[in-house]
Amino acid sequence: MRVLVADDEPLARARLASLLARRSDVEVVGSVGDGDAVLAACASHRPDVLLLDIEMPGLSGTAVAAKLASLPVRPQIVFCTAYEQHALSAFELGATDYLLKPVRAERLDEALDRAASRLAPAQPQRGGWLRARSGGDEVRIPLADVLLLTAGEKYVTVEHVGGARLIDDSLRQLEVALGERVIRLHRNCLVPRDRLVGLRSLADGRVLARLAGTESTPEVSRRNLPAVRQLLRTDA
């Protein structure tokens, strides 16, 4: 993936560059510090992914995203900002992810993997099934039967209409392979987007997901809540 870094703070750009250097599948094609420079760099370098700050001199990150939205081919935008309150507007602009500073390596990897899945639309189909283990045998679980996927210490459990099985793939691998067919609710939970029917807010501030076909109500993390809410609005 060709990645462009945009942040008005040199130290922030340097930190992102060091995190990106860990990945063999990433090429940093530019590093810029203001909104106008972002547009120019996108035109000249044609990055696959744009790591974009919001508060920058000149055009803000959201203004840049709005201008890029009019292009027939635009980069996957991952906002990297210290301001949590812009998350909803960011997803309304079609952002792939929204990372809060200081950006953690794990969250950056998740965002890049999500961007990669959108850049490779043929990959998410994955044959229409998941491979699970049953004793010494392998079994197939149709994706249409999957209710949710949760990560434990060593394995991922897939809950489906016929019960539950363990699978060897990590949540990150599944998220990349399945692409937009799933949405992340929490660091340890993915659900098929077609199963998501609503949210339930609790008095203690937690938010639970309501899923079709199961009584399970996995918690939605505060970090992932804006994307989940936007999906419910979009699919309504």
Side-chain angles (χ1 to χ4, degrees), residues 5-7 12 16 50-55 77-83 97-101 103 108 111:
V5 178
D7 197 300
L16 287 173
L50 171 59
L51 301 183
L52 182 60
D53 191 15
I54 287 183
E55 299 293 337
I77 297 175
V78 176
F79 282 103
C80 303
T81 177
Y83 303 98
D97 211 331
Y98 191 93
L99 309 183
L100 291 177
K101 297 178 181 178
V103 175
L108 180 59

Short mmCIF file of all heavy atoms in Angstrom, two decimals, residues 5-7 12 16 50-55 77-83 97-101 103 108 111:
data_model
loop_
_atom_site.label_atom_id
_atom_site.label_comp_id
_atom_site.label_asym_id
_atom_site.label_seq_id
_atom_site.Cartn_x
_atom_site.Cartn_y
_atom_site.Cartn_z
N VAL A 5 1.28 10.57 4.64
CA VAL A 5 1.10 11.03 6.02
C VAL A 5 0.88 12.54 6.00
O VAL A 5 1.68 13.28 5.41
CB VAL A 5 2.33 10.68 6.88
CG1 VAL A 5 2.15 11.22 8.30
CG2 VAL A 5 2.55 9.17 6.91
N ALA A 6 -0.19 13.01 6.66
CA ALA A 6 -0.51 14.45 6.70
C ALA A 6 -0.78 14.88 8.13
O ALA A 6 -1.77 14.48 8.74
CB ALA A 6 -1.71 14.74 5.81
N ASP A 7 0.13 15.71 8.68
CA ASP A 7 -0.01 16.22 10.04
C ASP A 7 0.86 17.47 10.16
O ASP A 7 1.97 17.50 9.63
CB ASP A 7 0.43 15.16 11.06
CG ASP A 7 -0.06 15.47 12.46
OD1 ASP A 7 0.30 16.55 13.01
OD2 ASP A 7 -0.81 14.66 13.03
N ALA A 12 4.62 14.16 15.20
CA ALA A 12 3.53 13.23 14.90
C ALA A 12 3.79 12.52 13.59
O ALA A 12 3.56 11.30 13.46
CB ALA A 12 2.20 13.98 14.85
N LEU A 16 4.32 8.39 13.14
CA LEU A 16 3.57 7.57 12.19
C LEU A 16 4.51 6.88 11.22
O LEU A 16 4.33 5.70 10.88
CB LEU A 16 2.56 8.43 11.44
CG LEU A 16 1.33 8.87 12.24
CD1 LEU A 16 0.50 9.86 11.43
CD2 LEU A 16 0.48 7.67 12.65
N LEU A 50 -4.48 7.54 3.05
CA LEU A 50 -4.09 8.85 3.56
C LEU A 50 -4.31 8.88 5.07
O LEU A 50 -5.44 8.72 5.55
CB LEU A 50 -4.94 9.94 2.90
CG LEU A 50 -4.84 11.36 3.46
CD1 LEU A 50 -3.41 11.88 3.38
CD2 LEU A 50 -5.80 12.30 2.72
N LEU A 51 -3.22 9.03 5.84
CA LEU A 51 -3.31 9.23 7.28
C LEU A 51 -3.43 10.72 7.52
O LEU A 51 -2.47 11.47 7.30
CB LEU A 51 -2.09 8.66 7.99
CG LEU A 51 -1.82 7.16 7.78
CD1 LEU A 51 -0.61 6.71 8.61
CD2 LEU A 51 -3.04 6.31 8.13
N LEU A 52 -4.60 11.19 7.96
CA LEU A 52 -4.95 12.60 7.87
C LEU A 52 -5.30 13.20 9.24
O LEU A 52 -6.23 12.73 9.91
CB LEU A 52 -6.15 12.75 6.92
CG LEU A 52 -6.66 14.15 6.63
CD1 LEU A 52 -5.59 15.03 5.99
CD2 LEU A 52 -7.89 14.07 5.72
N ASP A 53 -4.56 14.23 9.63
CA ASP A 53 -4.89 15.00 10.82
C ASP A 53 -6.10 15.89 10.52
O ASP A 53 -6.40 16.16 9.36
CB ASP A 53 -3.68 15.85 11.22
CG ASP A 53 -3.85 16.48 12.60
OD1 ASP A 53 -4.73 16.06 13.36
OD2 ASP A 53 -3.09 17.43 12.89
N ILE A 54 -6.79 16.36 11.54
CA ILE A 54 -7.95 17.23 11.32
C ILE A 54 -7.59 18.70 11.48
O ILE A 54 -7.89 19.53 10.61
CB ILE A 54 -9.10 16.84 12.27
CG1 ILE A 54 -9.73 15.53 11.80
CG2 ILE A 54 -10.17 17.94 12.31
CD1 ILE A 54 -10.92 15.07 12.61
N GLU A 55 -6.91 19.04 12.56
CA GLU A 55 -6.54 20.44 12.81
C GLU A 55 -5.21 20.73 12.15
O GLU A 55 -4.15 20.40 12.65
CB GLU A 55 -6.47 20.70 14.32
CG GLU A 55 -7.78 20.48 15.06
CD GLU A 55 -8.83 21.50 14.68
OE1 GLU A 55 -8.47 22.60 14.20
OE2 GLU A 55 -10.03 21.21 14.86
N ILE A 77 -9.18 7.03 3.58
CA ILE A 77 -8.80 8.06 4.55
C ILE A 77 -8.89 7.51 5.97
O ILE A 77 -9.94 7.02 6.39
CB ILE A 77 -9.68 9.30 4.40
CG1 ILE A 77 -9.47 9.93 3.02
CG2 ILE A 77 -9.36 10.32 5.50
CD1 ILE A 77 -10.39 11.10 2.74
N VAL A 78 -7.78 7.60 6.69
CA VAL A 78 -7.74 7.25 8.11
C VAL A 78 -7.40 8.52 8.88
O VAL A 78 -6.29 9.05 8.75
CB VAL A 78 -6.69 6.15 8.39
CG1 VAL A 78 -6.61 5.88 9.89
CG2 VAL A 78 -7.03 4.88 7.62
N PHE A 79 -8.36 9.04 9.63
CA PHE A 79 -8.11 10.25 10.41
C PHE A 79 -7.27 9.90 11.64
O PHE A 79 -7.54 8.90 12.32
CB PHE A 79 -9.42 10.90 10.85
CG PHE A 79 -10.10 11.68 9.76
CD1 PHE A 79 -11.19 11.16 9.09
CD2 PHE A 79 -9.63 12.93 9.40
CE1 PHE A 79 -11.81 11.87 8.08
CE2 PHE A 79 -10.24 13.66 8.39
CZ PHE A 79 -11.33 13.13 7.72
N CYS A 80 -6.27 10.72 11.93
CA CYS A 80 -5.42 10.57 13.11
C CYS A 80 -5.45 11.91 13.83
O CYS A 80 -4.84 12.88 13.37
CB CYS A 80 -3.99 10.21 12.72
SG CYS A 80 -3.83 8.70 11.73
N THR A 81 -6.15 11.97 14.94
CA THR A 81 -6.39 13.26 15.58
C THR A 81 -6.48 13.12 17.09
O THR A 81 -6.72 12.03 17.60
CB THR A 81 -7.70 13.89 15.04
OG1 THR A 81 -7.97 15.11 15.71
CG2 THR A 81 -8.87 12.94 15.26
N ALA A 82 -6.30 14.23 17.78
CA ALA A 82 -6.44 14.25 19.23
C ALA A 82 -7.86 14.58 19.66
O ALA A 82 -8.16 14.60 20.85
CB ALA A 82 -5.48 15.28 19.84
N TYR A 83 -8.76 14.81 18.69
CA TYR A 83 -10.09 15.30 19.00
C TYR A 83 -11.15 14.24 18.70
O TYR A 83 -11.46 13.96 17.54
CB TYR A 83 -10.37 16.58 18.21
CG TYR A 83 -9.36 17.66 18.48
CD1 TYR A 83 -8.29 17.86 17.61
CD2 TYR A 83 -9.43 18.45 19.62
CE1 TYR A 83 -7.33 18.83 17.86
CE2 TYR A 83 -8.47 19.43 19.87
CZ TYR A 83 -7.43 19.60 18.99
OH TYR A 83 -6.49 20.56 19.25
N ASP A 97 -11.28 4.75 8.91
CA ASP A 97 -11.10 4.57 10.36
C ASP A 97 -10.80 5.93 10.98
O ASP A 97 -10.57 6.92 10.28
CB ASP A 97 -9.97 3.58 10.65
CG ASP A 97 -10.20 2.79 11.94
OD1 ASP A 97 -10.86 3.34 12.86
OD2 ASP A 97 -9.73 1.66 12.03
N TYR A 98 -10.80 5.94 12.31
CA TYR A 98 -10.62 7.19 13.07
C TYR A 98 -9.75 6.84 14.27
O TYR A 98 -10.19 6.13 15.18
CB TYR A 98 -11.99 7.71 13.51
CG TYR A 98 -11.99 9.11 14.08
CD1 TYR A 98 -12.25 10.21 13.27
CD2 TYR A 98 -11.78 9.33 15.45
CE1 TYR A 98 -12.29 11.50 13.80
CE2 TYR A 98 -11.81 10.61 15.98
CZ TYR A 98 -12.07 11.69 15.15
OH TYR A 98 -12.10 12.96 15.67
N LEU A 99 -8.51 7.30 14.27
CA LEU A 99 -7.55 6.96 15.32
C LEU A 99 -7.28 8.17 16.19
O LEU A 99 -7.10 9.28 15.70
CB LEU A 99 -6.23 6.47 14.71
CG LEU A 99 -6.32 5.37 13.65
CD1 LEU A 99 -4.93 4.96 13.20
CD2 LEU A 99 -7.08 4.17 14.18
N LEU A 100 -7.25 7.94 17.50
CA LEU A 100 -6.95 9.00 18.44
C LEU A 100 -5.46 9.00 18.78
O LEU A 100 -4.85 7.94 18.97
CB LEU A 100 -7.77 8.84 19.72
CG LEU A 100 -9.28 9.08 19.58
CD1 LEU A 100 -9.98 8.81 20.91
CD2 LEU A 100 -9.56 10.51 19.13
N LYS A 101 -4.88 10.20 18.85
CA LYS A 101 -3.48 10.33 19.25
C LYS A 101 -3.34 10.16 20.76
O LYS A 101 -4.24 10.56 21.50
CB LYS A 101 -2.95 11.70 18.84
CG LYS A 101 -2.92 11.97 17.34
CD LYS A 101 -2.42 13.39 17.09
CE LYS A 101 -2.40 13.73 15.63
NZ LYS A 101 -1.94 15.11 15.39
N VAL A 103 -1.33 7.61 18.49
CA VAL A 103 -1.77 6.44 17.74
C VAL A 103 -1.01 5.21 18.20
O VAL A 103 0.23 5.21 18.25
CB VAL A 103 -1.57 6.66 16.23
CG1 VAL A 103 -1.91 5.39 15.45
CG2 VAL A 103 -2.43 7.83 15.75
N LEU A 108 -3.33 1.23 14.48
CA LEU A 108 -2.90 1.59 13.14
C LEU A 108 -2.92 0.37 12.23
O LEU A 108 -3.35 0.45 11.07
CB LEU A 108 -1.50 2.21 13.17
CG LEU A 108 -0.93 2.63 11.81
CD1 LEU A 108 -1.81 3.67 11.13
CD2 LEU A 108 0.49 3.18 11.98
N ALA A 111 -6.44 -0.34 11.17
CA ALA A 111 -6.90 0.62 10.17
C ALA A 111 -6.30 0.30 8.79
O ALA A 111 -7.01 0.34 7.77
CB ALA A 111 -6.54 2.03 10.59
#
